Amino acid sequence: MQLNTFKPTLEYAKQLDQEDSLSSFRDEFYLKPDSIYMDGNSLGLLSKRAERRLIEVLNDWKEQGIDGWTQGKHPWFSLSEKLGEMSAPLVGASSEEVIVTGSTTVNLHQLVATFYNPKGTRTKILADELTFPSDIYALQSQLRTHGYSPDTHLIRVKSRDGRFLEEDDIIEAMTDEIALIILPTVLYRSGQILDMERLTAEAHKRGILIGFDGCHSIGAIPHSFSKWDVDFAYWCNYKHLNGGPGCVGGLYVNKKHFGTAPGLAGWFSSKKEKQFDMEHTLTPADSAGAYQIGTPHVLSLAPLIGSLEIFTEAGIDNIRAKSLKINHYLMYLLEKELSDFNFTLGSPREDKKRGGHVSLEHKEAARICKALKENGIIPDFRAPNIIRLAPVALYTSYTEVWEVVQTLKKIMNDKEYEKFKNEREVVA
Ligand SMILES: *Cc1c(COP(=O)(O)O)cnc(C)c1O
């Protein structure tokens, strides 16, 4: 994509909106008038279809009571499997390799409990120093459960610049002491995409299993987990997938691992036909369903039915194409309009290395975000100095992106941010 084909005018932004083949999906979402939502990478917005599916599920409960498990409009007993099937194209897997269950952190615990098998000198877990804290806490506690000290057994690949990871550095850290590797698909601050195919191949050459945290990539970029032979992955469904706050998460397990006993078992790990035999010997499902634990949080699954319908209709390749274009447009305008104000682009410029958001670094970032909010723009702040802006393919318009940059320029020109303290809020 050529940055120099863009123009900085409002007319041009409107023209891009007219040419946007996904623009009709915008009407599916609850967008607030006089507000521009740039935080869909943290909590996606509610769609009318997600709302409708939730109401339908509530209605089944109201009218059918316990029969909702098997006879509702969206039978609850197989809903996790059904949503796994709908999610599979988003991660490039077959239906039985994906299940919607748990949360990101719980699924990580499950997958580590299942696939971390320290043996001989291979006892360590490899992660990275830029990853999301919850993943690190989970890995540290898993190591302790196995009687290892996280200080010696959790290896964190270093970043050379505090923003990005080099695949070469990760590969160099794949020593014969490593039993398991856990990495993000997309880094939550910089938006860098790791080369999952290459890292998986290199891990496997060395006999190491590898799993990915897909929170920041699911619904934003296509994946080919099966083709790349990734061992497992896990993600949340409330960011780009718009499943709602605390929506149930998802996981993928490569079919070559089917039959591996779940590290954290429960009756929902069962083969569906066996579950209600109520035996004290578990017969696990021969699918990713085996890595479920207990009763699904049905009301937190329901909105995802509607949300995934939208993704099925829009198509992840179309979503990625618009996401790349609108993020390019944002970067183009930022460069054009804000070059005097000491912002640093904290995301990769190269398309194949950048996920669904743009990170801007600035020493006044916390209070610039507060000034944006006062102006009706919802950004996302990440300590210590990052403003994340996510134009979302399904509901952000080019005109909105244009307005965001104009407003940011006004805030910087008039030093509007000086009214605020340069500190983060509780949830930021
Ligand atoms: C959002 C996010 C999480 C959150 O985990 P939950 O269990 O859903 O609270 C974990 N990891 C990454 C990389 C995230 O972006």
Side-chain angles (χ1 to χ4, degrees), residues 76-107:
W76 311 329
F77 190 54
S78 52
L79 192 50
S80 302
E81 284 76 10
K82 167 86 188 145
L83 290 168
E85 190 181 325
M86 292 174 81
S87 309
L90 300 179
V91 294
S94 57
S95 304
E96 71 275 15
E97 289 175 313
V98 183
I99 190 83
V100 171
T101 187
S103 69
T104 310
T105 313
V106 168
N107 291 343

mmCIF file of all heavy atoms in Angstrom, residues 76-107:
data_model
loop_
_atom_site.group_PDB
_atom_site.id
_atom_site.type_symbol
_atom_site.label_atom_id
_atom_site.label_comp_id
_atom_site.label_asym_id
_atom_site.label_seq_id
_atom_site.Cartn_x
_atom_site.Cartn_y
_atom_site.Cartn_z
ATOM 1 N N TRP A 76 -27.564 -24.960 24.929
ATOM 2 C CA TRP A 76 -26.400 -24.590 25.744
ATOM 3 C C TRP A 76 -25.385 -25.726 25.852
ATOM 4 O O TRP A 76 -24.191 -25.485 26.005
ATOM 5 C CB TRP A 76 -26.847 -24.186 27.162
ATOM 6 C CG TRP A 76 -27.971 -23.194 27.185
ATOM 7 C CD1 TRP A 76 -28.218 -22.226 26.234
ATOM 8 C CD2 TRP A 76 -29.004 -23.073 28.158
ATOM 9 N NE1 TRP A 76 -29.341 -21.508 26.575
ATOM 10 C CE2 TRP A 76 -29.845 -22.006 27.754
ATOM 11 C CE3 TRP A 76 -29.303 -23.746 29.349
ATOM 12 C CZ2 TRP A 76 -30.960 -21.611 28.492
ATOM 13 C CZ3 TRP A 76 -30.405 -23.355 30.087
ATOM 14 C CH2 TRP A 76 -31.224 -22.301 29.656
ATOM 15 N N PHE A 77 -25.866 -26.967 25.791
ATOM 16 C CA PHE A 77 -24.964 -28.111 26.015
ATOM 17 C C PHE A 77 -23.878 -28.180 24.943
ATOM 18 O O PHE A 77 -22.759 -28.604 25.219
ATOM 19 C CB PHE A 77 -25.766 -29.423 26.052
ATOM 20 C CG PHE A 77 -24.951 -30.606 26.508
ATOM 21 C CD1 PHE A 77 -24.254 -30.575 27.722
ATOM 22 C CD2 PHE A 77 -24.873 -31.765 25.735
ATOM 23 C CE1 PHE A 77 -23.493 -31.657 28.145
ATOM 24 C CE2 PHE A 77 -24.119 -32.861 26.157
ATOM 25 C CZ PHE A 77 -23.429 -32.797 27.365
ATOM 26 N N SER A 78 -24.192 -27.762 23.726
ATOM 27 C CA SER A 78 -23.198 -27.837 22.651
ATOM 28 C C SER A 78 -22.751 -26.449 22.167
ATOM 29 O O SER A 78 -22.119 -26.325 21.126
ATOM 30 C CB SER A 78 -23.783 -28.622 21.472
ATOM 31 O OG SER A 78 -25.039 -28.066 21.125
ATOM 32 N N LEU A 79 -23.078 -25.421 22.954
ATOM 33 C CA LEU A 79 -22.792 -24.055 22.498
ATOM 34 C C LEU A 79 -21.283 -23.774 22.401
ATOM 35 O O LEU A 79 -20.824 -23.113 21.463
ATOM 36 C CB LEU A 79 -23.475 -23.042 23.437
ATOM 37 C CG LEU A 79 -23.529 -21.587 22.991
ATOM 38 C CD1 LEU A 79 -24.062 -21.429 21.568
ATOM 39 C CD2 LEU A 79 -24.379 -20.763 23.963
ATOM 40 N N SER A 80 -20.511 -24.312 23.336
ATOM 41 C CA SER A 80 -19.054 -24.083 23.302
ATOM 42 C C SER A 80 -18.451 -24.686 22.039
ATOM 43 O O SER A 80 -17.559 -24.105 21.411
ATOM 44 C CB SER A 80 -18.385 -24.703 24.526
ATOM 45 O OG SER A 80 -18.928 -24.153 25.695
ATOM 46 N N GLU A 81 -18.950 -25.878 21.668
ATOM 47 C CA GLU A 81 -18.473 -26.557 20.454
ATOM 48 C C GLU A 81 -18.909 -25.773 19.211
ATOM 49 O O GLU A 81 -18.137 -25.593 18.282
ATOM 50 C CB GLU A 81 -19.018 -27.990 20.384
ATOM 51 C CG GLU A 81 -18.333 -28.991 21.320
ATOM 52 C CD GLU A 81 -18.749 -28.863 22.780
ATOM 53 O OE1 GLU A 81 -19.716 -28.140 23.094
ATOM 54 O OE2 GLU A 81 -18.085 -29.497 23.644
ATOM 55 N N LYS A 82 -20.162 -25.327 19.230
ATOM 56 C CA LYS A 82 -20.712 -24.577 18.104
ATOM 57 C C LYS A 82 -19.896 -23.294 17.869
ATOM 58 O O LYS A 82 -19.544 -22.956 16.737
ATOM 59 C CB LYS A 82 -22.178 -24.239 18.430
ATOM 60 C CG LYS A 82 -22.829 -23.223 17.564
ATOM 61 C CD LYS A 82 -23.404 -23.863 16.323
ATOM 62 C CE LYS A 82 -23.885 -22.805 15.354
ATOM 63 N NZ LYS A 82 -23.697 -23.139 13.978
ATOM 64 N N LEU A 83 -19.584 -22.603 18.960
ATOM 65 C CA LEU A 83 -18.815 -21.362 18.825
ATOM 66 C C LEU A 83 -17.362 -21.659 18.439
ATOM 67 O O LEU A 83 -16.718 -20.867 17.746
ATOM 68 C CB LEU A 83 -18.879 -20.551 20.127
ATOM 69 C CG LEU A 83 -20.262 -19.947 20.404
ATOM 70 C CD1 LEU A 83 -20.340 -19.403 21.834
ATOM 71 C CD2 LEU A 83 -20.581 -18.835 19.407
ATOM 72 N N GLY A 84 -16.857 -22.816 18.864
ATOM 73 C CA GLY A 84 -15.523 -23.241 18.433
ATOM 74 C C GLY A 84 -15.484 -23.422 16.926
ATOM 75 O O GLY A 84 -14.557 -22.971 16.243
ATOM 76 N N GLU A 85 -16.537 -24.040 16.411
ATOM 77 C CA GLU A 85 -16.650 -24.248 14.970
ATOM 78 C C GLU A 85 -16.701 -22.895 14.236
ATOM 79 O O GLU A 85 -16.061 -22.714 13.204
ATOM 80 C CB GLU A 85 -17.946 -25.027 14.726
ATOM 81 C CG GLU A 85 -18.146 -25.552 13.346
ATOM 82 C CD GLU A 85 -19.506 -26.286 13.254
ATOM 83 O OE1 GLU A 85 -19.937 -26.932 14.241
ATOM 84 O OE2 GLU A 85 -20.134 -26.176 12.187
ATOM 85 N N MET A 86 -17.450 -21.941 14.801
ATOM 86 C CA MET A 86 -17.544 -20.619 14.156
ATOM 87 C C MET A 86 -16.227 -19.841 14.258
ATOM 88 O O MET A 86 -15.924 -19.013 13.411
ATOM 89 C CB MET A 86 -18.669 -19.792 14.796
ATOM 90 C CG MET A 86 -20.063 -20.337 14.518
ATOM 91 S SD MET A 86 -21.336 -19.420 15.427
ATOM 92 C CE MET A 86 -21.551 -17.969 14.375
ATOM 93 N N SER A 87 -15.439 -20.115 15.306
ATOM 94 C CA SER A 87 -14.158 -19.405 15.487
ATOM 95 C C SER A 87 -13.038 -20.016 14.652
ATOM 96 O O SER A 87 -12.037 -19.342 14.387
ATOM 97 C CB SER A 87 -13.690 -19.471 16.950
ATOM 98 O OG SER A 87 -14.681 -19.081 17.835
ATOM 99 N N ALA A 88 -13.193 -21.290 14.289
ATOM 100 C CA ALA A 88 -12.083 -22.011 13.650
ATOM 101 C C ALA A 88 -11.506 -21.300 12.418
ATOM 102 O O ALA A 88 -10.278 -21.212 12.281
ATOM 103 C CB ALA A 88 -12.516 -23.439 13.316
ATOM 104 N N PRO A 89 -12.368 -20.746 11.523
ATOM 105 C CA PRO A 89 -11.785 -20.051 10.362
ATOM 106 C C PRO A 89 -10.940 -18.831 10.747
ATOM 107 O O PRO A 89 -10.053 -18.436 9.997
ATOM 108 C CB PRO A 89 -13.017 -19.604 9.560
ATOM 109 C CG PRO A 89 -14.151 -20.438 10.053
ATOM 110 C CD PRO A 89 -13.835 -20.784 11.467
ATOM 111 N N LEU A 90 -11.221 -18.258 11.897
ATOM 112 C CA LEU A 90 -10.456 -17.071 12.317
ATOM 113 C C LEU A 90 -9.039 -17.426 12.740
ATOM 114 O O LEU A 90 -8.144 -16.578 12.722
ATOM 115 C CB LEU A 90 -11.165 -16.340 13.471
ATOM 116 C CG LEU A 90 -12.569 -15.813 13.183
ATOM 117 C CD1 LEU A 90 -13.147 -15.146 14.424
ATOM 118 C CD2 LEU A 90 -12.528 -14.809 12.033
ATOM 119 N N VAL A 91 -8.835 -18.671 13.155
ATOM 120 C CA VAL A 91 -7.489 -19.074 13.586
ATOM 121 C C VAL A 91 -6.852 -20.068 12.622
ATOM 122 O O VAL A 91 -5.710 -20.497 12.837
ATOM 123 C CB VAL A 91 -7.472 -19.642 15.030
ATOM 124 C CG1 VAL A 91 -7.835 -18.555 16.031
ATOM 125 C CG2 VAL A 91 -8.370 -20.853 15.192
ATOM 126 N N GLY A 92 -7.577 -20.445 11.583
ATOM 127 C CA GLY A 92 -7.008 -21.372 10.610
ATOM 128 C C GLY A 92 -6.857 -22.761 11.200
ATOM 129 O O GLY A 92 -5.771 -23.334 11.219
ATOM 130 N N ALA A 93 -7.966 -23.290 11.689
ATOM 131 C CA ALA A 93 -7.938 -24.616 12.310
ATOM 132 C C ALA A 93 -9.195 -25.362 11.903
ATOM 133 O O ALA A 93 -10.137 -24.765 11.366
ATOM 134 C CB ALA A 93 -7.880 -24.472 13.828
ATOM 135 N N SER A 94 -9.229 -26.663 12.171
ATOM 136 C CA SER A 94 -10.467 -27.380 11.911
ATOM 137 C C SER A 94 -11.378 -27.239 13.134
ATOM 138 O O SER A 94 -10.913 -26.943 14.239
ATOM 139 C CB SER A 94 -10.189 -28.844 11.580
ATOM 140 O OG SER A 94 -9.476 -29.435 12.631
ATOM 141 N N SER A 95 -12.685 -27.448 12.904
ATOM 142 C CA SER A 95 -13.674 -27.179 13.961
ATOM 143 C C SER A 95 -13.344 -27.875 15.266
ATOM 144 O O SER A 95 -13.469 -27.295 16.339
ATOM 145 C CB SER A 95 -15.052 -27.652 13.515
ATOM 146 O OG SER A 95 -15.391 -27.057 12.313
ATOM 147 N N GLU A 96 -12.920 -29.146 15.162
ATOM 148 C CA GLU A 96 -12.728 -29.887 16.424
ATOM 149 C C GLU A 96 -11.459 -29.455 17.174
ATOM 150 O O GLU A 96 -11.255 -29.857 18.306
ATOM 151 C CB GLU A 96 -12.773 -31.401 16.172
ATOM 152 C CG GLU A 96 -11.607 -32.005 15.441
ATOM 153 C CD GLU A 96 -11.712 -31.932 13.906
ATOM 154 O OE1 GLU A 96 -12.551 -31.166 13.387
ATOM 155 O OE2 GLU A 96 -10.929 -32.634 13.237
ATOM 156 N N GLU A 97 -10.643 -28.609 16.535
ATOM 157 C CA GLU A 97 -9.431 -28.129 17.214
ATOM 158 C C GLU A 97 -9.678 -26.878 18.062
ATOM 159 O O GLU A 97 -8.770 -26.399 18.740
ATOM 160 C CB GLU A 97 -8.334 -27.812 16.184
ATOM 161 C CG GLU A 97 -7.730 -29.058 15.532
ATOM 162 C CD GLU A 97 -6.726 -28.724 14.431
ATOM 163 O OE1 GLU A 97 -7.040 -27.857 13.580
ATOM 164 O OE2 GLU A 97 -5.641 -29.319 14.402
ATOM 165 N N VAL A 98 -10.900 -26.330 17.993
ATOM 166 C CA VAL A 98 -11.175 -25.070 18.694
ATOM 167 C C VAL A 98 -12.382 -25.239 19.615
ATOM 168 O O VAL A 98 -13.385 -25.847 19.251
ATOM 169 C CB VAL A 98 -11.451 -23.930 17.680
ATOM 170 C CG1 VAL A 98 -11.666 -22.610 18.411
ATOM 171 C CG2 VAL A 98 -10.303 -23.804 16.689
ATOM 172 N N ILE A 99 -12.256 -24.673 20.810
ATOM 173 C CA ILE A 99 -13.394 -24.680 21.730
ATOM 174 C C ILE A 99 -13.474 -23.305 22.402
ATOM 175 O O ILE A 99 -12.438 -22.687 22.663
ATOM 176 C CB ILE A 99 -13.259 -25.826 22.779
ATOM 177 C CG1 ILE A 99 -14.540 -25.997 23.583
ATOM 178 C CG2 ILE A 99 -12.062 -25.639 23.686
ATOM 179 C CD1 ILE A 99 -15.581 -26.844 22.905
ATOM 180 N N VAL A 100 -14.688 -22.834 22.622
ATOM 181 C CA VAL A 100 -14.859 -21.566 23.330
ATOM 182 C C VAL A 100 -15.157 -21.907 24.788
ATOM 183 O O VAL A 100 -16.178 -22.517 25.104
ATOM 184 C CB VAL A 100 -15.960 -20.705 22.671
ATOM 185 C CG1 VAL A 100 -16.282 -19.487 23.525
ATOM 186 C CG2 VAL A 100 -15.480 -20.254 21.292
ATOM 187 N N THR A 101 -14.229 -21.545 25.647
ATOM 188 C CA THR A 101 -14.299 -21.952 27.054
ATOM 189 C C THR A 101 -13.393 -21.067 27.899
ATOM 190 O O THR A 101 -12.481 -20.420 27.369
ATOM 191 C CB THR A 101 -13.856 -23.429 27.205
ATOM 192 O OG1 THR A 101 -14.082 -23.861 28.544
ATOM 193 C CG2 THR A 101 -12.384 -23.622 26.867
ATOM 194 N N GLY A 102 -13.629 -21.034 29.186
ATOM 195 C CA GLY A 102 -12.702 -20.395 30.127
ATOM 196 C C GLY A 102 -12.431 -18.935 29.830
ATOM 197 O O GLY A 102 -13.247 -18.220 29.250
ATOM 198 N N SER A 103 -11.261 -18.487 30.255
ATOM 199 C CA SER A 103 -10.795 -17.131 29.954
ATOM 200 C C SER A 103 -9.353 -17.284 29.494
ATOM 201 O O SER A 103 -8.768 -18.367 29.607
ATOM 202 C CB SER A 103 -10.845 -16.254 31.202
ATOM 203 O OG SER A 103 -9.856 -16.689 32.128
ATOM 204 N N THR A 104 -8.782 -16.225 28.998
ATOM 205 C CA THR A 104 -7.396 -16.294 28.545
ATOM 206 C C THR A 104 -6.510 -16.933 29.611
ATOM 207 O O THR A 104 -5.785 -17.895 29.352
ATOM 208 C CB THR A 104 -6.862 -14.869 28.282
ATOM 209 O OG1 THR A 104 -7.794 -14.191 27.465
ATOM 210 C CG2 THR A 104 -5.503 -14.906 27.628
ATOM 211 N N THR A 105 -6.588 -16.385 30.814
ATOM 212 C CA THR A 105 -5.650 -16.827 31.851
ATOM 213 C C THR A 105 -5.954 -18.257 32.301
ATOM 214 O O THR A 105 -5.040 -19.059 32.487
ATOM 215 C CB THR A 105 -5.689 -15.847 33.042
ATOM 216 O OG1 THR A 105 -5.613 -14.512 32.540
ATOM 217 C CG2 THR A 105 -4.524 -16.088 33.982
ATOM 218 N N VAL A 106 -7.233 -18.580 32.430
ATOM 219 C CA VAL A 106 -7.590 -19.948 32.819
ATOM 220 C C VAL A 106 -7.160 -20.929 31.722
ATOM 221 O O VAL A 106 -6.624 -22.004 32.009
ATOM 222 C CB VAL A 106 -9.114 -20.066 33.075
ATOM 223 C CG1 VAL A 106 -9.542 -21.528 33.192
ATOM 224 C CG2 VAL A 106 -9.482 -19.310 34.341
ATOM 225 N N ASN A 107 -7.351 -20.543 30.470
ATOM 226 C CA ASN A 107 -6.965 -21.439 29.380
ATOM 227 C C ASN A 107 -5.445 -21.632 29.331
ATOM 228 O O ASN A 107 -4.958 -22.719 29.033
ATOM 229 C CB ASN A 107 -7.496 -20.925 28.038
ATOM 230 C CG ASN A 107 -9.018 -21.043 27.963
ATOM 231 O OD1 ASN A 107 -9.632 -21.771 28.742
ATOM 232 N ND2 ASN A 107 -9.624 -20.313 27.041
#
